[in-house]
């Protein structure tokens, strides 16, 4: 640690960085641009929260890593967190290179040994990150050249061979979905749709969700942008309750029952007015467009309800 720096200073810096990120990201609702991450200061000193050249950030004043980073993988490339889960449900984070004594791996090991909270910057677009924190390194598997990463410092690497451990594994996977996969999915989808509802083009992030096309409870319901649609609360709820469907060629359909009702402006414009219209917003990049196959699966279910 730098001269004059104590463990308390280290802890205070980590807390301050997390609080600053909470404000900057609207409590995790919005991602943050890498340029903005250079603005953080602690006690008058500018301390960059990521290292543009490296996956691991260890400011010179600290002994242990402060943040880790996973770069954005364009659609079609492998998602590191999908194949990086161990049998116990904990995520695995690969060493930098193959030398366990590399300075970055030592910085990670120090964070693990001291159980220090880390910030995980997860790429959701070019130079755009969803911060997830606190995360902890809770174990190391040197033969596999990786650490185990948890959202709770009390977890550890374990064999899953008893019912209690299997239950813990399910809990860990559920936590990971809520605190990591869902915010990353939301930010990726909203970024792709330029923060507008696909159905009506509403542009208020507070009123927008990232809807799954095939639900994530279905094994085909991957947390990928091609299985997502940015939708306002009204259209998301209507889609989930099968009052509104979307054809594989991006046309909105509203159930006959809704079409026959007579009511105020929300029904008239928000629902009936969208029937037969194409989606108003699609991602700029074709490879991020919603998958016609996944839309087809969901559209079948909508037609089967058909009331
Ligand atoms: Zn909408």
């Amino acid at each position: 640690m730098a001269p004059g720096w104590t463990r308390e200073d280290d802890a205070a810096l980590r807390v301050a960085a997390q609080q600053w990120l909470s404000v900057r990201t609207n409590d995790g609702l919005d991602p943050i641009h890498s340029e903005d991450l250079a603005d953080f200061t602690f006690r008058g000193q500018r301390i960059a929260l990521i290292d543009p050249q490296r996956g691991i950030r260890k400011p010179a004043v600290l002994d242990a890593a402060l943040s880790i980073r996973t770069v954005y993988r364009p659609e079609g490339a492998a998602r590191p967190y999908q194949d990086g889960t161990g049998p116990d449900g904990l995520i695995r984070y690969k060493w930098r290179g193959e030398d366990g004594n590399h300075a970055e791996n030592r910085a990670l090991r120090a964070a693990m040994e001291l159980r220090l909270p880390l910030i995980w910057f997860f790429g959701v677009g070019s130079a755009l990150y969803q911060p997830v924190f606190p995360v902890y390194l809770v174990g190391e598997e040197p033969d596999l050249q990786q650490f185990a990463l948890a959202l709770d410092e009390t977890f550890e690497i374990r064999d899953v061979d008893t019912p209690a451990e299997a239950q813990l594994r399910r809990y860990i996977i559920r936590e990971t979905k809520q605190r990591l996969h869902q915010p990353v999915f939301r930010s990726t989808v909203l970024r792709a749709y330029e923060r507008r509802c696909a159905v009506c083009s509403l542009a208020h992030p507070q009123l927008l969700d990232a809807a799954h096309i095939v639900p994530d409870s279905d094994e085909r319901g991957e947390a990928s942008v091609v299985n997502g649609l940015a939708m306002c609360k009204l259209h998301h709820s209507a889609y989930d309750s099968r009052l509104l469907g979307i054809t594989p060629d991006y046309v909105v359909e509203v159930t006959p029952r809704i079409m026959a009702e007579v009511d105020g402006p929300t029904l008239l414009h928000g629902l009936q007015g969208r029937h037969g219209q194409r989606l108003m917003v699609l991602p700029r990049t074709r490879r991020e467009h919603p998958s016609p196959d996944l839309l087809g699966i969901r559209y079948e279910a909508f037609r089967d309800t058909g009331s």
Side-chain angles (χ1 to χ4, degrees):
M1 202 143 357
W5 272 69
T6 65
R7 292 265 164 255
E8 287 70 34
D9 295 326
D10 176 307
L13 166 58
R14 287 169 200 274
V15 169
Q18 293 182 21
Q19 287 173 342
W20 184 85
L21 282 169
S22 293
V23 173
R24 285 300 182 102
T25 62
N26 194 12
D27 273 332
L29 270 183
D30 305 325
I32 187 163
H33 197 276
S34 59
E35 279 177 14
D36 297 330
L37 290 170
D39 292 346
F40 172 70
T41 58
F42 180 70
R43 296 178 185 164
Q45 190 178 346
R46 189 179 283 259
I47 295 179
L49 294 180
I50 60 170
D51 188 324
Q53 308 301 328
R54 300 179 178 81
I56 295 155
R57 169 73 179 140
K58 188 196 80 65
V61 291
L62 302 185
D63 288 340
L66 173 65
S67 76
I68 57 176
R69 182 166 63 107
T70 298
V71 293
Y72 176 65
R73 303 287 203 285
E75 199 46 44
R79 298 270 151 160
Y81 61 79
Q82 274 180 351
D83 31 20
T85 302
D88 46 25
L90 295 175
I91 297 162
R92 299 303 196 264
Y93 190 85
K94 284 286 173 194
W95 279 0
R96 165 70 188 267
E98 301 191 338
D99 176 10
N101 265 320
H102 186 285
E104 291 177 36
N105 296 326
R106 290 207 313 271
L108 290 175
R109 199 167 296 119
M112 174 183 76
E113 285 163 357
L114 296 164
R115 282 290 200 266
L116 296 172
L118 296 168
I119 300 160
W120 191 356
F121 290 102
F122 209 102
V124 296
S126 174
L128 203 60
Y129 292 94
Q130 179 69 35
V132 177
F133 55 82
V135 300
Y136 299 87
L137 296 170
V138 295
E140 186 173 6
E141 295 167 320
D143 47 332
L144 299 172
Q145 304 180 337
Q146 63 192 14
F147 292 91
L149 200 145
L151 300 161
D152 184 317
E153 59 186 311
T154 63
F155 294 151
E156 50 192 47
I157 296 175
R158 55 179 88 220
D159 297 326
V160 181
D161 47 16
T162 69
E165 281 158 355
Q167 195 177 0
L168 180 62
R169 174 179 186 275
R170 285 195 294 275
Y171 173 76
I172 290 171
I173 289 175
R174 199 166 58 236
E175 279 286 297
T176 304
K177 191 184 252 185
Q178 279 176 6
R179 283 196 41 215
L180 174 69
H181 298 176
Q182 285 175 358
V184 167
F185 179 67
R186 176 189 157 83
S187 282
T188 307
V189 170
L190 263 54
R191 186 265 310 146
Y193 287 78
E194 297 179 356
R195 315 216 294 176
R196 286 184 175 274
C197 173
V199 176
C200 71
S201 181
L202 186 76
H204 277 279
Q206 298 91 331
L207 298 177
L208 294 178
D209 294 330
H212 284 86
I213 296 172
V214 172
D216 61 353
S217 53
D218 187 311
E219 65 179 34
R220 297 166 297 186
E222 50 183 320
S224 149
V225 68
V226 300
N227 188 37
L229 289 163
M231 282 187 175
C232 70
K233 302 283 182 188
L234 172 67
H235 290 130
H236 187 192
S237 295
Y239 192 51
D240 279 357
S241 49
R242 300 185 183 173
L243 299 175
L244 180 151
I246 295 169
T247 68
D249 48 0
Y250 309 147
V251 175
V252 177
E253 286 187 12
V254 173
T255 56
R257 182 162 60 83
I258 293 281
M259 290 307 291
E261 280 176 24
V262 178
D263 193 20
T266 302
L267 181 84
L268 186 63
H269 300 292
L271 293 173
Q272 293 168 340
R274 301 318 312 150
H275 180 69
Q277 303 293 312
R278 285 180 66 80
L279 291 179
M280 291 185 75
V281 182
L282 282 173
R284 265 172 212 260
T285 326
R286 196 161 193 91
R287 63 167 186 263
E288 293 192 324
H289 282 194
S291 152
D293 291 345
L294 295 168
L295 283 170
I297 293 170
R298 180 71 179 258
Y299 182 66
E300 288 297 310
F302 165 73
R303 288 298 295 262
D304 289 348
T305 315
S307 58

